[in-house]
Amino acid sequence: MKDFKKYFTLPATPEEVYIALTNPITLEIWTGDKAEMSTQPGSEFSLWEGSIVGKNLEFEENKKIVQQWYFEGEPEDSIVTIKLHPHKQGCSMEVRHTNIPDEAYEDMAQGWEEHYVGSLIAFFDEQ
């Protein structure tokens, strides 16, 4: 199992990024696919038409999101923690994704860079 950790700078406030990550309508706009999301701890979520599914564990409004991402058949939970910090260019988003199966690591790291954060940056650049 591997861990991924990276900081990204987004051209938006932490409040705007938090909404983009937690509001199902906004999620559908920037991902381009149906999304299921709630800020209720213990609720299930689904992004990119089920490509990413899991359980919401913790929310700190405008500051932190903690989720369990499901990898079928894996003995340990894969936990994603996103922390949002004010930055002179908008928002610094710290992503920490733990317990990624070895065989999925490269695809997951690329997915964070290109699809997840790349789509989020493109969404804010179009505003």
Side-chain angles (χ1 to χ4, degrees), residues 39-112:
T39 53
Q40 183 68 37
S43 62
E44 302 276 320
F45 70 90
S46 175
L47 306 173
W48 279 282
E49 295 185 343
S51 293
I52 299 173
V53 293
K55 184 190 307 184
N56 291 308
L57 302 178
E58 179 186 342
F59 293 93
E60 189 176 338
E61 190 171 0
N62 303 324
K63 294 183 179 176
K64 184 166 118 176
I65 299 166
V66 182
Q67 299 173 320
Q68 176 185 348
W69 286 21
Y70 299 149
F71 286 100
E72 197 169 317
E74 291 299 324
E76 295 182 52
D77 293 345
S78 181
I79 304 296
V80 170
T81 303
I82 298 173
K83 293 182 181 177
L84 307 173
H85 308 282
H87 186 278
K88 62 184 175 186
Q89 295 174 341
C91 177
S92 171
M93 184 170 89
E94 174 188 341
V95 175
R96 182 157 190 239
H97 191 166
T98 64
N99 295 329
I100 301 169
D102 292 347
E103 64 279 2
Y105 182 82
E106 290 301 322
D107 285 343
M108 192 61 59
Q110 183 178 3
W112 275 111

Side-chain angles (χ1 to χ4, degrees), residues 19-53:
I19 289 168
L21 295 174
T22 59
N23 181 298
I25 295 166
T26 310
L27 275 162
E28 288 182 17
I29 293 169
W30 69 264
T31 65
D33 287 313
K34 181 160 176 46
E36 294 175 28
M37 179 61 71
S38 165
T39 53
Q40 183 68 37
S43 62
E44 302 276 320
F45 70 90
S46 175
L47 306 173
W48 279 282
E49 295 185 343
S51 293
I52 299 173
V53 293

